[in-house]
Amino acid sequence: MPHIAERLQQLRCNVPLIGDFHFNGHKLLQEHPACAEALAKYRINPGNVGRGSKRDPQFAEMIEIACRNNKPVRIGVNWGSLDQDLLLRLMDENSRKSEPDSAQEVMRETHQPRQVLRSVGAVLAGMLKGIILSLGTDELLHLAHVFPAWDQRASDALLQLATVYRTIYGTAGSYIAARLAPNRPMLHAMSLGVLGLAASTAGAVVTWNKSPVFGPHWYPGALVVFAIPTAWAGGKIRLAQLRAPADG
């Protein structure tokens, strides 16, 4: 490789030499330091740098060599170099669906940018569902004169009713997040739970001892307490669906 780089330089050819490594790149770079230095960039396929306990150390070894030689690294994935553990898990999850996706569609889901967008979209969809249902029910109950005017304090019984339907809607929202998640449905449901916990805690802090209109302390406290359990329940419902045998 150094000779090729030198010859290209003599020919005034400025095309960079890029090493595209599969399977044993860590050994090649370690045993041939001149090659590691002559290359302009390393391309690493994370799906075939090793499996199991060997993958991370071998991947780290290549990154360390790149750092020592001040070389940029491109993490590339194609159909032949997918992370087999990830692909196997996604195929397994897909097989449990009542309407499984095609193998090609599952393979597309292993592409990180698309997974990230779908993950964000799933959590946002679940969050919007919970917010819209909660605020919509609040408004309907006010219009029906079940709840008093917005500037008047609701009774404990009405606040208990609000706690119940917010808990139900929180579970439904977390289920939606898990249902739309590209993978790891429980993680997406619990992510929404963490967001709900943060929002409920912030609301409790802002309204604490501010005005009787915001109700007694137990109400915002209950919303904080139920944020994580409702998210867990929504995720468990989705997991139960995935574990159930597909119809037919």
Side-chain angles (χ1 to χ4, degrees):
M1 189 60 66
H3 302 297
I4 296 175
E6 183 179 357
R7 182 58 178 159
L8 288 173
Q9 209 170 36
Q10 293 172 353
L11 295 173
R12 296 182 181 180
C13 180
N14 296 320
V15 176
L17 292 174
I18 300 174
D20 190 357
F21 295 103
H22 297 254
F23 305 108
N24 62 348
H26 61 292
K27 290 184 178 179
L28 291 172
L29 292 173
Q30 192 70 260
E31 296 174 4
H32 301 278
C35 173
E37 186 176 354
L39 291 170
K41 180 191 292 187
Y42 307 159
R43 182 182 185 275
I44 304 174
N45 292 285
N48 55 27
V49 296
R51 298 193 64 182
S53 60
K54 295 181 178 180
R55 181 181 59 187
D56 289 350
Q58 292 176 180
F59 184 82
E61 188 174 346
M62 298 179 73
I63 298 300
E64 289 172 2
I65 295 172
C67 291
R68 286 201 302 267
N69 289 281
N70 196 28
K71 303 296 182 181
V73 175
R74 179 180 182 270
I75 307 300
V77 176
N78 53 44
W79 298 129
S81 60
L82 296 176
D83 186 324
Q84 296 303 305
D85 292 332
L86 172 62
L87 183 59
L88 181 62
R89 176 166 55 78
L90 290 177
M91 287 292 190
D92 188 48
E93 290 178 1
N94 182 63
S95 68
R96 298 194 187 105
K97 294 181 180 179
S98 57
E99 297 181 3
D101 299 322
S102 67
Q104 187 177 20
E105 184 65 24
V106 175
M107 291 176 73
R108 287 198 187 101
E109 293 303 329
T110 60
H111 283 251
Q112 191 65 22
R114 181 168 178 174
Q115 284 204 68
V116 170
L117 289 175
R118 285 197 60 185
S119 293
V120 172
V123 174
L124 285 177
M127 181 172 63
L128 288 175
K129 181 180 178 65
I131 292 173
I132 291 172
L133 287 175
S134 296
L135 295 181
T137 303
D138 288 346
E139 184 63 26
L140 286 175
L141 291 176
H142 279 288
L143 292 175
H145 303 294
V146 175
F147 279 3
W150 288 100
D151 59 350
Q152 297 180 14
R153 183 187 183 281
S155 67
D156 280 12
L158 291 176
L159 291 176
Q160 288 171 4
L161 173 62
T163 303
V164 170
Y165 65 70
R166 275 176 163 74
T167 300
I168 295 173
Y169 296 157
T171 301
S174 297
Y175 166 78
I176 292 297
R179 177 67 180 82
L180 298 178
N183 55 61
R184 299 183 181 180
M186 180 57 80
L187 176 62
H188 288 74
M190 294 306 293
S191 296
L192 184 55
V194 171
L195 292 175
L197 176 63
S200 299
T201 302
V205 170
V206 170
T207 61
W208 203 263
N209 292 330
K210 293 295 183 182
S211 169
V213 174
F214 295 114
H217 289 162
W218 68 261
Y219 178 61
L223 299 181
V224 172
V225 169
F226 289 132
I228 296 299
T230 55
W232 178 84
K236 288 294 288 185
I237 293 173
R238 179 55 183 161
L239 289 179
Q241 287 183 335
L242 290 174
R243 293 192 184 102
D247 294 338

